[in-house]
Amino acid sequence: MKRVGISVISGDDGHEFLCASDDVAERMEWSQIALGQGPSVEAFAVAGPISTPDVAMPDTRWPLLALEAAAARAGSVHALPLQLGAIRVGVLSLYLDAGSKLKARDFGDAVAIADLVTSLLLASGTTDDPDPLDQWWVQPRSSREIHQATGMVVAQLGVRAREAYARLQGYAFANALGLDEVAAQVVHRGLRIDRGPDGDQTPAS
């Protein structure tokens, strides 16, 4: 197994990046979040595993994802929903060499890991006892900044959180940036996402 990424679902905010084994897996997670398409997005939507032998090859299911720079290094992707019964909390994505398939035993191991991660996510923070996983599950700064940037757009435009998040996604896609990069610009550099017929964005004065 080459790389692993985990994204989680949070209320009306859609997908959030949680963690990844390296920068390629992290960039792939962000790309799927920004585009709103990809194996992890579909795996969560259908509540079942989704695979592709080479994410860099054009796929009618996700036509834009193959164009992302990280896709060239991501290889095959196997996305498993993190769920317990009807409760879905996110997606575990496995990135292997292009053309690689999970054998039956490997798939069983992956499902067991997904079940374990799901249990840990659901159990973390549910008791008053110190949680040894607290530091591991702490959201990365980029995820916190996306929350903060979404809140800033909500306050600026008076829109719901989902619309604010969608505007950030749209700006990221239109400018070939990661959602985390756009959030950092909003939070630290004064980028303002303005309401307008063409979705104009301008630096804050």
Side-chain angles (χ1 to χ4, degrees):
M1 192 174 300
K2 289 181 63 177
R3 302 180 172 95
V4 179
I6 298 177
S7 61
V8 293
I9 309 300
S10 178
D12 289 335
D13 293 333
H15 267 82
E16 288 182 6
F17 169 73
L18 180 62
C19 60
S21 59
D22 65 9
D23 59 343
V24 174
E26 180 176 351
R27 179 54 56 192
M28 282 300 298
E29 295 297 309
W30 281 123
S31 294
Q32 294 179 82
I33 290 170
L35 295 172
Q37 63 175 238
S40 69
V41 175
E42 188 168 335
F44 183 81
V46 304
I50 297 293
S51 297
T52 181
D54 187 349
V55 74
M57 297 297 292
D59 191 314
T60 56
R61 293 174 294 178
W62 322 301
L64 299 176
L65 188 60
L67 302 177
E68 293 294 303
R73 299 174 60 194
S76 66
V77 183
H78 306 271
L80 291 82
L82 301 175
Q83 60 185 27
L84 180 62
I87 303 174
R88 283 173 286 168
V89 297
V91 178
L92 171 70
S93 296
L94 310 177
Y95 300 91
L96 311 178
D97 290 327
S100 298
K101 296 182 179 180
L102 286 177
K103 298 179 180 179
R105 180 175 179 178
D106 294 332
F107 180 77
D109 290 342
V111 170
I113 292 172
D115 288 344
L116 175 60
V117 172
T118 302
S119 298
L120 291 172
L121 281 171
L122 291 173
S124 183
T126 59
T127 71
D128 294 330
D129 298 327
D131 188 344
L133 294 175
D134 276 347
Q135 293 303 313
W136 198 83
W137 290 121
V138 167
Q139 286 185 329
R141 183 182 65 182
S142 52
S143 287
R144 296 196 300 270
E145 287 180 345
I146 288 174
H147 277 299
Q148 188 176 352
T150 300
M152 291 170 67
V153 175
V154 167
Q156 290 166 3
L157 302 184
V159 297
R160 295 176 62 86
R162 177 165 289 281
E163 181 178 344
Y165 186 82
R167 286 175 179 268
L168 292 172
Q169 286 182 308
Y171 183 82
F173 174 69
N175 292 276
L177 297 171
L179 187 59
D180 55 331
E181 294 174 291
V182 174
Q185 289 184 28
V186 171
V187 173
H188 301 294
R189 300 181 186 175
L191 176 68
R192 183 182 178 90
I193 308 296
D194 290 334
R195 186 195 303 274
D198 299 318
D200 296 336
Q201 291 85 22
T202 59
S205 56

